[in-house]
PDB file of all heavy atoms in Angstrom:
ATOM      1  N   GLY A 186     -82.146  90.779  15.604  1.00 97.00           N
ATOM      2  CA  GLY A 186     -80.877  91.467  15.491  1.00 97.00           C
ATOM      3  C   GLY A 186     -81.070  92.905  15.067  1.00 97.00           C
ATOM      4  O   GLY A 186     -82.120  93.272  14.505  1.00 97.00           O
ATOM      5  N   ALA A 187     -80.087  93.758  15.344  1.00 98.00           N
ATOM      6  CA  ALA A 187     -80.198  95.168  15.005  1.00 98.00           C
ATOM      7  C   ALA A 187     -78.810  95.772  14.885  1.00 98.00           C
ATOM      8  O   ALA A 187     -77.866  95.338  15.551  1.00 98.00           O
ATOM      9  CB  ALA A 187     -81.000  95.930  16.043  1.00 98.00           C
ATOM     10  N   ILE A 188     -78.692  96.761  14.013  1.00 98.00           N
ATOM     11  CA  ILE A 188     -77.475  97.566  13.912  1.00 98.00           C
ATOM     12  C   ILE A 188     -77.858  99.027  14.063  1.00 98.00           C
ATOM     13  O   ILE A 188     -79.017  99.410  13.840  1.00 98.00           O
ATOM     14  CB  ILE A 188     -76.746  97.349  12.564  1.00 98.00           C
ATOM     15  CG1 ILE A 188     -77.690  97.606  11.383  1.00 98.00           C
ATOM     16  CG2 ILE A 188     -76.134  95.953  12.502  1.00 98.00           C
ATOM     17  CD1 ILE A 188     -76.986  97.531  10.022  1.00 98.00           C
ATOM     18  N   ARG A 189     -76.868  99.815  14.441  1.00 98.00           N
ATOM     19  CA  ARG A 189     -77.095 101.265  14.561  1.00 98.00           C
ATOM     20  C   ARG A 189     -76.110 102.007  13.664  1.00 98.00           C
ATOM     21  O   ARG A 189     -74.911 101.720  13.684  1.00 98.00           O
ATOM     22  CB  ARG A 189     -76.948 101.748  15.990  1.00 98.00           C
ATOM     23  CG  ARG A 189     -77.228 103.254  16.102  1.00 98.00           C
ATOM     24  CD  ARG A 189     -77.443 103.711  17.512  1.00 98.00           C
ATOM     25  NE  ARG A 189     -77.880 105.111  17.535  1.00 98.00           N
ATOM     26  CZ  ARG A 189     -78.308 105.729  18.619  1.00 98.00           C
ATOM     27  NH1 ARG A 189     -78.369 105.083  19.780  1.00 98.00           N
ATOM     28  NH2 ARG A 189     -78.680 106.997  18.562  1.00 98.00           N
ATOM     29  N   PHE A 190     -76.659 102.930  12.889  1.00 98.00           N
ATOM     30  CA  PHE A 190     -75.836 103.832  12.101  1.00 98.00           C
ATOM     31  C   PHE A 190     -75.531 105.062  12.930  1.00 98.00           C
ATOM     32  O   PHE A 190     -76.407 105.588  13.615  1.00 98.00           O
ATOM     33  CB  PHE A 190     -76.552 104.230  10.812  1.00 98.00           C
ATOM     34  CG  PHE A 190     -76.536 103.159   9.761  1.00 98.00           C
ATOM     35  CD1 PHE A 190     -77.463 102.123   9.816  1.00 98.00           C
ATOM     36  CD2 PHE A 190     -75.613 103.171   8.750  1.00 98.00           C
ATOM     37  CE1 PHE A 190     -77.458 101.126   8.858  1.00 98.00           C
ATOM     38  CE2 PHE A 190     -75.597 102.198   7.775  1.00 98.00           C
ATOM     39  CZ  PHE A 190     -76.521 101.162   7.822  1.00 98.00           C
ATOM     40  N   VAL A 191     -74.313 105.511  12.844  1.00 98.00           N
ATOM     41  CA  VAL A 191     -73.862 106.732  13.526  1.00 98.00           C
ATOM     42  C   VAL A 191     -73.426 107.722  12.462  1.00 98.00           C
ATOM     43  O   VAL A 191     -72.609 107.399  11.597  1.00 98.00           O
ATOM     44  CB  VAL A 191     -72.714 106.415  14.495  1.00 98.00           C
ATOM     45  CG1 VAL A 191     -72.223 107.709  15.169  1.00 98.00           C
ATOM     46  CG2 VAL A 191     -73.129 105.389  15.536  1.00 98.00           C
ATOM     47  N   GLY A 192     -73.962 108.929  12.515  1.00 98.00           N
ATOM     48  CA  GLY A 192     -73.571 109.969  11.547  1.00 98.00           C
ATOM     49  C   GLY A 192     -74.644 110.282  10.543  1.00 98.00           C
ATOM     50  O   GLY A 192     -74.536 111.283   9.817  1.00 98.00           O
ATOM     51  N   SER A 193     -75.724 109.483  10.453  1.00 98.00           N
ATOM     52  CA  SER A 193     -76.868 109.866   9.634  1.00 98.00           C
ATOM     53  C   SER A 193     -77.751 110.781  10.475  1.00 98.00           C
ATOM     54  O   SER A 193     -77.546 110.953  11.675  1.00 98.00           O
ATOM     55  CB  SER A 193     -77.645 108.624   9.189  1.00 98.00           C
ATOM     56  OG  SER A 193     -78.071 107.858  10.308  1.00 98.00           O
ATOM     57  N   GLY A 194     -78.755 111.373   9.844  1.00 97.00           N
ATOM     58  CA  GLY A 194     -79.546 112.365  10.572  1.00 97.00           C
ATOM     59  C   GLY A 194     -81.038 112.256  10.278  1.00 97.00           C
ATOM     60  O   GLY A 194     -81.488 111.379   9.544  1.00 97.00           O
TER      61      GLY A 194
END
Side-chain angles (χ1 to χ4, degrees):
I188 55 175
R189 181 165 188 171
F190 283 82
V191 178
S193 57

